[in-house]
Amino acid sequence: MSKKIQAIRGMNDLLPKDSDLWGYVERTIADLFSSYGYKNIRTPLVEKTDTFCRAIGQATDIVEKEMYSWKESNGESLSLRPEGTAGCVRMMIEHNLPREGIQKVFYQGAMFRHERPQKGRYRQFHQVGLEVFGAADAKVDAELMMMTHSLWQNLGLKNLTLEINTLGSNEARASYREILVEYFSMHKNQLDEDSLRRLETNPLRIFDSKNSDMQALINNAPKLMDHLDGDSAKHFEQFKSYLNCLEIDFVINTRLVRGLDYYNRTVFEWTTTDLGAQGTICAGGRYDGLVEKMGGKPTKAVGLAIGLERLLLLLEEQEIQLANDKLSIYMITPSDEAQIKSMQIATKLHQELPNFIIYNDITMGSFKSQFKKADKANADFALILGEEELNNNQVSIKPLKSQDKQLTSSLDEAIKFFKD
Ligand code: ATP
Ligand code: MG
């Protein structure tokens, strides 16, 4: 026998049993974001490697070690997207969109990062991203918090904490960087290899370290919050006051710096303690300088990304049952004649009852085995085409989830029954 073929480690299939849940979550997110006037966009899965390097920053985990990149025959390096903001910014610039006014957009899809696969961390995973271009006001930052807060409520999620911080202006960060280098240099013997490198390239990123041995050192480091520029401090105060107005609880986490290089001012994460180490299910921040850095006109921007696999793990962990609003009909057709007829009937049912799921069994077992399959499919009704029904040009409806009596009628009356 040949060797069984297998998927690549860290890249998952969506199995039929999980498809309703994924569909429900994706629809809930898209409906909510659309209802706030955000437009759904799509960008390619592949971009020039340079697009990601410039946007995300050289001294980041993603660019240093997580990207899937290759060379084309003309020597150009391309990469699978590790996140969505870079491509979205590239699109905004290429199509000159911010010139037309504020752009509020969202997108969903697969992202690729070469990480060590574990629960909540995969090599192909899915994000829904949301970005706003052309608005500096902290009201927009607060709007993103309001939308995500509503989303958790709509999905029935509990135990999520909003952590916020501010990274100030580029200038404030530059002078803080020197203070930080001095501090970590004094404790060089406690730094791991990664952090020693970051001390040279990007010392702020040391805060992003997941090494538990270094947490005390990190906790005692000087805080950026104490070295903020005036405008950023004011922006942060406004952001907090809007959150208070909206009655959204938050905690300030001065160690929150985020993994990407492009952020300034507001940064935030929605975290949970229910998922172990992979507890961040949504993260983002402001990136006012990025559009210009990528070759566009100066355009203030803010955005976030939700990790869908982690969101689904959390729904499962919190045992949240999603209401399935679609009713379903299972057609019981225990003879050849009934099967032929059932094709026509199913077509009519699909036309008349677009919100129903119609299962048209093609196996033609006994009554009993077909009813068993209807139960397994969790159908609400059986539509029976037995010999008697066929002879009288009728159908029978048997409710499968209540004790209500079986009804026999014409097809038109049956459709009327389902419509009510
Ligand atoms: P982490 O610190 O967990 O590595 P990150 O800072 O790299 O996260 P972002 O780039 O901000 O993550 O991505 C936004 C969200 O996407 C994360 O909060 C998480 O929910 C999800 N995410 C990121 N990387 C992965 C991955 N490898 N597998 C599954 N989900 C991921
Ligand atoms: Mg990461």
Side-chain angles (χ1 to χ4, degrees):
M1 211 165 56
S2 341
K3 197 165 169 257
K4 236 203 294 191
I5 50 171
Q6 280 181 328
I8 295 166
R9 208 159 86 89
M11 304 204 175
N12 302 315
D13 298 310
L14 171 59
L15 298 176
K17 71 177 173 56
D18 299 322
S19 112
D20 283 350
L21 187 62
W22 272 82
Y24 176 82
V25 170
E26 287 171 334
R27 272 196 309 280
T28 305
I29 298 175
D31 287 349
L32 181 78
F33 290 176
S34 304
S35 77
Y36 276 83
Y38 287 67
K39 296 289 181 197
N40 192 213
I41 57 157
R42 291 178 197 185
T43 64
L45 267 65
V46 176
E47 301 266 356
K48 293 178 184 166
T49 303
D50 186 49
T51 302
F52 300 117
C53 295
R54 277 168 72 182
I56 299 167
Q58 283 294 343
T60 55
D61 280 351
I62 293 181
V63 171
E64 274 176 353
K65 53 190 182 203
E66 293 174 2
M67 279 215 286
Y68 285 91
S69 305
W70 67 93
K71 270 210 163 54
E72 292 285 281
S73 54
N74 65 4
E76 185 167 52
S77 177
L78 304 183
S79 299
L80 285 175
R81 63 182 185 193
E83 53 90 61
T85 304
C88 183
V89 168
R90 197 262 315 131
M91 177 187 115
M92 287 289 153
I93 295 171
E94 198 168 330
H95 299 273
N96 242 321
L97 296 178
R99 215 177 33 190
E100 297 166 14
I102 293 186
Q103 299 291 315
K104 295 184 165 189
V105 298
F106 71 99
Y107 49 83
Q108 63 288 307
M111 306 293 162
F112 303 85
R113 297 185 194 178
H114 199 277
E115 304 201 64
R116 193 169 67 78
Q118 53 200 288
K119 186 181 168 199
R121 193 176 291 286
Y122 312 101
R123 291 182 170 173
Q124 174 174 336
F125 61 99
H126 297 79
Q127 287 183 337
V128 177
L130 184 78
E131 323 275 354
V132 181
F133 295 89
D137 202 290
K139 252 186 228 133
V140 183
D141 310 34
E143 180 178 82
L144 300 194
M145 300 306 97
M146 180 164 76
M147 290 164 69
T148 37
H149 184 253
S150 304
L151 180 60
W152 316 143
Q153 280 183 335
N154 292 357
L155 291 172
L157 289 168
K158 305 174 292 278
N159 197 15
L160 278 161
T161 304
L162 174 60
E163 301 182 29
I164 62 169
N165 190 22
T166 177
L167 299 180
S169 65
N170 291 345
E171 297 75 34
R173 260 200 325 287
S175 51
Y176 170 69
R177 180 191 160 116
E178 287 172 26
I179 300 167
L180 207 58
V181 168
E182 197 177 320
Y183 169 81
F184 282 124
S185 298
M186 276 180 347
H187 302 90
K188 250 186 175 158
N189 55 341
Q190 294 176 50
L191 295 179
D192 61 15
E193 201 183 318
D194 254 1
S195 302
L196 278 172
R197 201 162 31 85
R198 285 171 174 171
L199 186 58
E200 307 292 326
T201 54
N202 194 344
L204 216 75
R205 195 96 306 127
I206 297 176
F207 286 141
D208 217 31
S209 165
K210 294 182 174 82
N211 183 344
S212 51
D213 294 343
M214 281 175 30
Q215 292 312 309
L217 182 69
I218 286 173
N219 283 336
N220 292 324
K223 296 185 169 69
L224 175 55
M225 195 71 86
D226 300 330
H227 301 271
L228 273 189
D229 55 297
D231 285 346
S232 296
K234 197 168 143 214
H235 195 270
F236 194 53
E237 285 310 312
Q238 286 170 338
F239 178 49
K240 288 188 292 183
S241 75
Y242 292 136
L243 292 178
N244 285 327
C245 274
L246 295 167
E247 298 182 10
I248 298 174
D249 293 335
F250 59 87
V251 295
I252 295 171
N253 174 358
T254 56
R255 306 296 155 204
L256 185 64
V257 293
R258 307 285 308 111
L260 317 180
D261 239 8
Y262 49 59
Y263 291 113
N264 68 306
R265 293 199 173 164
T266 316
V267 286
F268 54 84
E269 290 190 356
W270 283 100
T271 60
T272 176
T273 50
D274 291 352
L275 290 181
Q278 270 60 252
T280 302
I281 66 164
C282 169
R286 198 159 257 293
Y287 51 94
D288 292 331
L290 184 62
V291 177
E292 195 177 359
K293 189 177 154 217
M294 302 277 290
K297 301 226 167 63
T299 306
K300 306 275 173 26
V302 59
L304 59 80
I306 300 169
L308 287 183
E309 279 81 1
R310 291 189 197 174
L311 189 63
L312 273 104
L313 280 172
L314 190 59
L315 285 165
E316 195 182 308
E317 184 66 35
Q318 298 187 354
E319 292 177 7
I320 293 170
Q321 301 290 331
L322 300 172
N324 185 3
D325 47 2
K326 278 201 173 180
L327 291 173
S328 52
I329 300 170
Y330 198 99
M331 301 184 62
I332 308 277
T333 51
S335 69
D336 242 349
E337 209 188 337
Q339 290 234 315
I340 292 162
K341 184 94 180 139
S342 78
M343 301 282 278
Q344 296 168 332
I345 293 182
T347 308
K348 180 135 192 208
L349 290 177
H350 280 295
Q351 282 164 354
E352 297 282 338
L353 306 167
N355 288 322
F356 276 65
I357 300 170
I358 319 282
Y359 296 104
N360 197 0
D361 196 340
I362 50 160
T363 53
M364 196 166 49
S366 63
F367 263 113
K368 200 171 150 204
S369 74
Q370 288 201 341
F371 268 111
K372 249 194 202 148
K373 278 189 263 176
D375 272 340
K376 201 166 165 213
N378 199 23
D380 295 287
F381 301 96
L383 191 87
I384 306 162
L385 281 178
E387 208 174 324
E388 227 183 288
E389 283 88 354
L390 283 176
N391 288 339
N392 300 327
N393 219 356
Q394 288 183 317
V395 295
S396 292
I397 302 168
K398 185 175 166 58
L400 297 176
K401 290 185 181 162
S402 73
Q403 300 304 316
D404 292 351
K405 276 226 298 276
Q406 183 169 320
L407 308 164
T408 301
S409 68
S410 69
L411 181 59
D412 285 342
E413 275 169 66
I415 288 171
K416 223 170 126 227
F417 166 85
F418 287 125
K419 279 186 175 164
D420 299 337

